[in-house]
Amino acid sequence: MAGLAQSGSNPDVELLYDINGMAKDAPHWFDRVMQFVGEWGLLAAMVLLILGCWWSVRRRGGAEAAGSVAALVWAPLAAAVAVLVNVPIRGFVERPRPFLDHQGLEVLISGKTDFSFVSDHATITMAMGVGLFVANRKFGIAGLVIGLLEGFCRVYMGVHYPTDVIGGFALGTAVALLLSPLAMALLTPLMKAIEQSPRAGWLISRRSSAAGRRAVVPGARTDAADSEQRDLAA
């Protein structure tokens, strides 16, 4: 694969120069913004999106809350598993970073000395985006858009070939979807158990936590007890 990347007629390299060439024409401040966004910003945005979806699920509550929260927990776990799977892939392919084999690239971030295929950033964001899509379609679409933007940024920054990004998308998607049934089988009962907890139930559903608080308040008088006392008084 490294040999293919060195070919000037390779579409992968041509697309790399086309996208990275935008960085040369852009203002310096814009490149600095893209550097931050591509390295940390979009990852942070994905985490905030997952937290926002969790807050929405928790507030809504209902019988499906535990399953939805389980799917949200799986999203970052899927990203972690995908990165671990990528470790032997990188070692097997051993594809150098594009700026090591090609001249004239505008590299926006230095210090990248590891192998290029596949992109960890693309893998992480797409795994979380797909996992989020499984949990909630509306939030998931936004997550997928963030994943696509992350891939574009990595090529724009000159640290990955387009096929590195595509490989990351494929790896993240495969891990998130193929392992989802097993993950849900393990996580859903755990989330249901947490939902029943009087102390941790608020993590799953606001309504269940409120019900738990009513159940454990010492000396609390129920509506039925109040009604019975009123009948006796009458």
Side-chain angles (χ1 to χ4, degrees):
M1 186 172 292
L4 283 175
Q6 295 175 7
S7 172
S9 60
N10 189 285
D12 195 21
V13 177
E14 294 177 357
L15 187 57
L16 166 68
Y17 275 104
D18 288 341
I19 297 177
N20 180 256
M22 300 178 186
K24 292 184 177 181
D25 300 329
H28 179 74
W29 65 265
F30 184 80
D31 284 348
R32 299 285 74 79
V33 170
M34 290 293 287
Q35 175 185 342
F36 173 79
V37 169
E39 191 70 11
W40 304 108
L42 290 174
L43 292 175
M46 184 69 78
V47 172
L48 292 175
L49 192 63
I50 292 175
L51 290 175
C53 186
W54 163 75
W55 186 261
S56 175
V57 169
R58 173 191 171 275
R59 183 178 58 185
R60 184 171 63 250
E64 299 180 354
S68 298
V69 174
L72 291 174
V73 172
W74 168 237
L77 290 179
V81 172
V83 169
L84 291 177
V85 173
N86 189 29
V87 172
I89 294 177
R90 280 194 168 193
F92 176 76
V93 177
E94 295 185 345
R95 186 185 204 182
R97 295 279 181 171
F99 54 80
L100 296 178
D101 289 333
H102 302 283
Q103 302 296 322
L105 291 175
E106 187 76 9
V107 182
L108 301 187
I109 186 168
S110 59
K112 299 291 184 180
T113 58
D114 54 344
F115 294 121
S116 184
F117 186 90
V118 297
S119 167
D120 277 340
H121 281 72
T123 300
I124 292 171
T125 51
M126 189 54 66
M128 288 197 289
V130 172
L132 184 58
F133 186 80
V134 171
N136 185 286
R137 296 294 184 269
K138 181 177 67 174
F139 283 89
I141 290 175
L144 295 177
V145 171
I146 290 177
L148 294 173
L149 289 175
E150 181 67 82
F152 175 83
C153 287
R154 302 308 288 178
V155 180
Y156 181 95
M157 294 163 62
V159 294
H160 281 292
Y161 295 98
T163 47
D164 297 338
V165 169
I166 294 173
F169 289 164
L171 177 59
T173 300
V175 170
L177 291 181
L178 294 180
L179 297 183
S180 179
L182 176 61
M184 293 300 294
L186 296 175
L187 291 173
T188 301
L190 177 60
M191 296 303 112
K192 288 182 178 179
I194 294 176
E195 186 178 17
Q196 299 304 316
S197 170
R199 294 187 176 182
W202 65 271
L203 291 170
I204 309 300
S205 173
R206 182 178 64 179
R207 296 177 183 177
S208 66
S209 63
R213 287 194 298 270
R214 288 196 299 270
V216 299
V217 173
R221 298 170 59 184
T222 63
D223 294 339
D226 292 340
S227 176
E228 182 179 355
Q229 289 183 5
R230 285 195 297 268
D231 292 341
L232 290 174

